[in-house]
Amino acid sequence: MPLYFLVLLLIAASTSGFERAATVLLLMSPMLVFFKALMAVSSWVFHEDMHGKVVLITGASSGIGEHIAYEYAQKGARLVLVARRESLLKEVAHRAMAKGASDVKVIIGDVQKENDCKRFVDETVKKFGRLDHLVNNAGVAHSFFYTDTKDLRSLTSTFDTTFWGDVYMSYFALPHLRRTSGKILVIASAASWLPYPRQSIYNSAKSATLAFFDTLRVEVGDAIGITIVMPGWVESEITKGKVIHEDAAMWIDQTQRDIHVGPVPVISVTECARAAVKGVIRGSHYVTVPFYYSIFLLYRVFAPEVLLWAFRLVFVINPNKPSSKKILEATEANKILYPESIQKSD
């Protein structure tokens, strides 16, 4: 092994610039592949037992957060569910208990507020005496071009919930997670690397989330595990059409949803939640669901012009009725590509 690295150093010293980086990466590839394969096998054999563990989930009243709660419940975890809508949250808590949760606590509040985030963590530790997993899931989206903004609150509220909410929660949770060698599960988005139109601030918030937790992983080392989930379009209130509009109001608009999402498959929320929880208990650094979104990352790195052209063609040209909407109307593809649950505005 020392000889192997000595050869790498000699080659690096004898080349320069791009050639040096490419050569070293090529020679390191066998070792990297072997290491990743070893870690994958290890994660399949040895994964965390969640029975009795304490899990705090933000944005748990619906969508991905709700179904992540059910996945943890089936593994016997003790849950703390956080959201703003008390009635919905209590329904989720009741179903989570029926699915096998050891205990469930409901806390009402808003992750945009620093004091609320501190309260969520303090009440969790007060009740259960520990915190094992923090699930940063709360987020809101918008659907309008940046140049059409009429009220800046439509931008700040998106960023405050989607990014700062994760930062606040992690800040207050970290001391407790260190004591339990706990984990953070982050629901980011494929939008962190895709220039998806009509959601410039949402994309920015998710990019910031990815960068923040990548950096935090370096800083905390092995003390806390961090799993970043990057879903594509998922069955949720957002894909039902509930988004912030340019005047800062929020309502369900499925016509706007069809323009925004277009002829793109929307996966089951159960599939997304199951992949997320499976990834964190196995210690994965990243989970992309569905996996084919990884292809877009390659385009982002090697052919960004293709993404720019494709998104402009499908979603931007003729903004009042872009190709995304025309394709859906002509083919009725949404009846196949969208889950039945999001095809009705109720």
Side-chain angles (χ1 to χ4, degrees):
M1 188 65 67
L3 179 61
Y4 176 79
F5 286 106
L6 178 60
V7 171
L8 287 181
L9 289 173
L10 290 173
I11 292 175
S14 63
T15 57
S16 61
F18 177 80
E19 292 180 354
R20 177 185 300 172
T23 303
V24 171
L25 181 61
L26 181 63
L27 291 173
M28 288 183 65
S29 294
M31 287 293 295
L32 291 173
V33 171
F34 173 77
F35 177 75
K36 289 181 72 68
L38 186 64
M39 292 298 293
V41 172
S42 176
S43 68
W44 276 93
V45 178
F46 306 103
H47 54 269
E48 186 177 3
D49 181 4
M50 291 306 303
H51 188 80
K53 297 287 184 71
V54 179
V55 182
L56 170 56
I57 306 171
T58 67
S61 61
S62 66
I64 298 174
E66 173 189 352
H67 287 266
I68 282 178
Y70 300 153
E71 292 296 321
Y72 275 114
Q74 291 169 3
K75 300 181 185 302
R78 293 180 287 176
L79 306 178
V80 178
L81 307 180
V82 170
R84 294 176 297 176
R85 297 172 294 181
E86 185 174 8
S87 60
L88 289 179
L89 207 54
K90 288 182 176 179
E91 292 176 9
V92 174
H94 179 75
R95 287 191 286 268
M97 286 297 295
K99 290 178 180 290
S102 300
D103 197 355
V104 181
K105 179 178 176 60
V106 166
I107 307 178
I108 309 305
D110 189 345
V111 296
Q112 290 190 49
K113 301 175 181 178
E114 180 184 334
N115 289 337
D116 275 8
C117 292
K118 184 178 186 302
R119 177 169 56 87
F120 301 152
V121 175
D122 288 346
E123 290 191 22
T124 298
V125 176
K126 181 178 179 180
K127 178 174 176 59
F128 294 115
R130 61 186 292 141
L131 175 61
D132 297 283
H133 282 204
L134 168 65
V135 180
N136 283 317
N137 166 75
V140 293
H142 64 87
S143 181
F144 55 87
F145 294 127
Y146 174 71
T147 51
D148 292 336
T149 303
K150 296 178 181 178
D151 188 327
L152 288 175
R153 288 177 298 175
S154 62
L155 308 181
T156 55
S157 62
T158 298
F159 208 92
D160 286 347
T161 300
T162 308
F163 175 70
W164 283 113
D166 288 359
V167 174
Y168 295 154
M169 289 299 303
S170 301
Y171 177 79
F172 295 114
L174 277 172
H176 304 287
L177 292 172
R178 284 184 183 276
R179 296 188 189 102
T180 59
S181 298
K183 294 178 179 177
I184 300 176
L185 175 59
V186 185
I187 306 303
S189 173
S192 61
W193 67 69
L194 284 176
Y196 218 100
R198 291 187 174 84
Q199 54 181 48
S200 56
I201 300 301
Y202 178 80
N203 295 350
S204 302
K206 290 302 186 181
S207 295
T209 297
L210 176 60
F212 172 75
F213 284 103
D214 270 343
T215 306
L216 183 62
R217 184 189 287 120
V218 175
E219 293 180 356
V220 301
D222 296 331
I224 298 171
I226 298 177
T227 297
I228 305 174
V229 183
M230 289 169 284
W233 287 116
V234 177
E235 175 187 14
S236 68
E237 289 185 333
I238 292 175
T239 49
K240 182 173 282 191
K242 184 179 179 182
V243 290
I244 297 174
H245 293 260
E246 56 268 30
D247 58 358
M250 178 184 286
W251 68 85
I252 292 178
D253 183 347
Q254 293 201 321
T255 299
Q256 182 66 17
R257 185 276 312 274
D258 291 348
I259 291 174
H260 191 155
V261 179
V264 179
V266 177
I267 67 167
S268 159
V269 66
T270 303
E271 177 185 350
C272 179
R274 185 171 296 130
V277 175
K278 184 183 294 183
V280 72
I281 66 173
R282 290 178 175 173
S284 302
H285 283 185
Y286 305 98
V287 175
T288 302
V289 55
F291 184 73
Y292 62 74
Y293 269 80
S294 302
I295 296 172
F296 294 113
L297 184 57
L298 294 177
Y299 278 97
R300 173 75 178 185
V301 174
F302 297 106
E305 297 83 3
V306 174
L307 287 181
L308 174 66
W309 175 81
F311 280 121
R312 282 192 57 82
L313 177 66
V314 176
F315 297 102
V316 177
I317 296 176
N318 188 12
N320 293 326
K321 193 171 183 180
S323 298
S324 56
K325 179 66 173 175
K326 292 178 181 177
I327 293 171
L328 285 183
E329 290 182 347
T331 64
E332 296 187 336
N334 56 310
K335 294 182 179 180
I336 299 174
L337 299 177
Y338 297 178
E340 186 177 352
S341 66
I342 68 169
Q343 294 188 29
K344 297 179 181 179
S345 61
D346 59 345

